[in-house]
Amino acid sequence: MLIARTDKTVPITVFARTSAAPDVAFRIVAPIDLSRVFLADRLFPGVAGVEGQTDTWDHAGVSRRPRFTDGSQVTESLTEYVDGHGFAYELTGFTNTLATLALGVRGEFSFLPDGGGTTIRWTYEFKPRPGRRLVLAGPFKPLWQRYMQAALNRMVAVVEEHTAH
């Protein structure tokens, strides 16, 4: 387990709403094409593709290696998967600048009923390297939160596109 109860982490959470039911939104977001929603901006690379995934992304224990547009990569492992409700994953082995800031990240998506639709809650919980917590919690946090929100908004657009048919 990457993060223990006693670790001092830096969590960043974003929310978005969709008109789709929670189970529908979940089934679209969980296996989403990462390169479609994680686009490069002036500060962060996008996802260029995914390598090494040998099984479907629908149960704990599956892993893969997202490759970024700057040539770096990370190992992503699915740690929890509750069909129709949420999933969690860990990112470790960053080969870009994040390697100097964090030992890893625990990500979690929750799909919560919201009237006739869904509120999607996405949290990135950084486990900082020694001496790096203030950087992550300070100047880095609002920049990463903006990047996450843009990616989540693109995920919702994909959900809405799929449910419009």
Side-chain angles (χ1 to χ4, degrees), residues 32-87:
I32 203 161
D33 177 357
L34 301 180
S35 66
R36 187 170 178 188
V37 294
F38 290 97
L39 306 180
D41 69 10
R42 57 189 171 83
L43 298 175
F44 302 111
V47 172
V50 174
E51 297 175 345
Q53 184 174 325
T54 57
D55 204 352
T56 55
W57 197 253
D58 63 0
H59 61 278
V62 180
S63 63
R64 60 190 181 186
R65 283 185 318 281
R67 286 179 300 100
F68 300 107
T69 54
D70 66 357
S72 65
Q73 65 181 8
V74 67
T75 298
E76 181 179 28
S77 301
L78 198 54
T79 58
E80 298 172 38
Y81 188 94
V82 180
D83 191 28
H85 298 283
F87 61 95

Side-chain angles (χ1 to χ4, degrees), residues 88-151:
Y89 56 95
E90 291 180 349
L91 300 169
T92 55
F94 286 100
T95 63
N96 58 18
T97 305
L98 282 177
T100 66
L101 297 175
L103 295 167
V105 172
R106 181 182 191 278
E108 181 182 320
F109 277 87
S110 299
F111 297 80
L112 310 166
D114 183 13
T118 303
T119 294
I120 303 171
R121 179 182 61 212
W122 178 25
T123 298
Y124 241 52
E125 187 176 6
F126 287 88
K127 181 173 182 173
R129 289 195 171 276
R132 298 289 192 247
R133 187 177 188 290
L134 290 177
V135 174
L136 284 171
F140 179 82
K141 186 173 181 173
L143 300 172
W144 191 258
Q145 187 169 20
R146 182 186 55 77
Y147 182 75
M148 285 176 66
Q149 188 66 61

Side-chain angles (χ1 to χ4, degrees), residues 8-26:
K8 295 200 182 314
T9 62
V10 178
I12 303 172
T13 302
V14 293
F15 298 88
R17 288 182 169 81
T18 175
S19 59
D23 63 322
V24 173
F26 175 90

